[in-house]
Amino acid sequence: KTIILGYGKYEKENSLINLLVRFETLITAIQYFSYAKIGSPYMAVGRNLAYLKDEFFNVKGFINHMHIKSGDDDLFIQDAANKENTTICTSEKSFTVSKAPKSFSEWFRQKRRHISTANHYKIKHQFFLGTFFISKFFFYLMSTILFFLYPWQFILPIVFAYYLVQYIVIGFSSSKLKEPTITYFLPFLEIGLLLFQLSIFITNLWSKPNHWK
């Protein structure tokens, strides 16, 4: 393998913003690790990414997306990575640790840039990642509506089954990536993250993030 995707975590702090940032980072890692494992890598985090220089020169470096203001690590993977040359590394010794955004406004600006980069992903990745978000949004929306339309005895088992799967998948991953405390607040973090991402999506419809700051 000539391209290795690693986990870039954030320092743990006792704040709501830090908990949300680390949860979003964990979910993102679960996604790009999983896609890479099934042979369809689509992104990486530049703070924990390794590749041979031959892979860089084979696609002429960042030439295909030099006009884009962010996402060079993601878009390089779009160009260079495939199921034959790419693998993941989840060893704790390989983790990098960075300072997390200190405020919602700082994180909001950062994620606006990141999400705008997704418009340059391959169509199949845009479709499946978009479906992932939309399915979760409609799950919460329809669950709330159906609780008022049908007896709770029919709806509650569906919600319970959903969270059971969530706790198994995210719980296993958070343990492997050394983020065990995140699962304690899973329902609240997921709802909070969905609302945060929805606000970014709406904001980006009205204006594009054209600057770094």
Side-chain angles (χ1 to χ4, degrees):
K1 304 298 183 181
T2 54
I3 299 176
I4 305 175
L5 315 182
Y7 181 50
K9 64 187 301 179
Y10 284 108
E11 282 187 353
K12 182 181 178 181
E13 298 176 4
N14 294 321
S15 69
L16 176 59
I17 176 65
N18 181 264
L19 193 58
L20 273 169
V21 168
R22 290 190 295 113
F23 176 68
E24 190 272 338
T25 302
L26 174 67
I27 296 299
T28 301
I30 292 172
Q31 289 180 316
Y32 71 77
F33 280 157
S34 299
Y35 275 78
K37 287 191 72 172
I38 63 173
S40 186
Y42 74 93
M43 71 157 283
V45 290
R47 59 188 183 273
N48 200 344
L49 168 64
Y51 49 86
L52 295 183
K53 67 179 181 180
D54 287 347
E55 294 289 0
F56 183 81
F57 290 123
N58 285 342
V59 295
K60 299 181 180 179
F62 302 138
I63 192 68
N64 292 333
H65 40 83
M66 286 187 68
H67 61 288
I68 302 170
K69 295 184 180 294
S70 66
D72 53 327
D73 42 10
D74 288 17
L75 299 178
F76 171 74
I77 293 300
Q78 292 280 313
D79 292 339
N82 55 59
K83 63 181 179 180
E84 284 82 23
N85 67 0
T86 304
T87 189
I88 66 174
C89 181
T90 56
S91 167
E92 184 179 1
K93 292 182 179 180
S94 73
F95 297 167
T96 60
V97 183
S98 304
K99 294 283 187 181
K102 299 294 184 181
S103 66
F104 277 101
S105 59
E106 180 185 353
W107 189 38
F108 190 83
R109 288 193 300 271
Q110 181 191 83
K111 299 313 296 183
R112 281 191 69 195
R113 294 197 309 270
H114 292 172
I115 290 177
S116 66
T117 303
N119 293 329
H120 302 279
Y121 287 177
K122 295 175 183 176
I123 296 298
K124 65 177 181 179
H125 294 136
Q126 291 187 46
F127 173 78
F128 286 116
L129 293 171
T131 301
F132 178 80
F133 170 79
I134 292 171
S135 66
K136 286 185 175 292
F137 176 79
F138 276 102
F139 169 79
Y140 283 103
L141 178 63
M142 295 306 298
S143 295
T144 303
I145 293 173
L146 292 175
F147 261 116
F148 292 98
L149 299 178
Y150 295 95
W152 64 267
Q153 293 93 335
F154 293 106
I155 308 304
L156 192 61
I158 298 174
V159 175
F160 178 80
Y162 169 81
Y163 277 115
L164 178 62
V165 173
Q166 289 289 89
Y167 271 102
I168 292 172
V169 174
I170 296 178
F172 174 80
S173 300
S174 64
S175 176
K176 194 173 187 66
L177 297 176
K178 306 305 176 185
E179 298 280 11
T181 56
I182 284 178
T183 54
Y184 301 160
F185 309 98
L186 180 57
F188 307 102
L189 291 174
E190 184 167 78
I191 294 171
L193 183 59
L194 282 172
L195 294 174
F196 179 79
Q197 291 173 329
L198 182 62
S199 66
I200 292 176
F201 176 75
I202 294 172
T203 303
N204 281 3
L205 285 178
W206 292 101
S207 64
K208 299 299 180 183
N210 293 321
H211 305 286
W212 285 106
K213 295 183 178 180

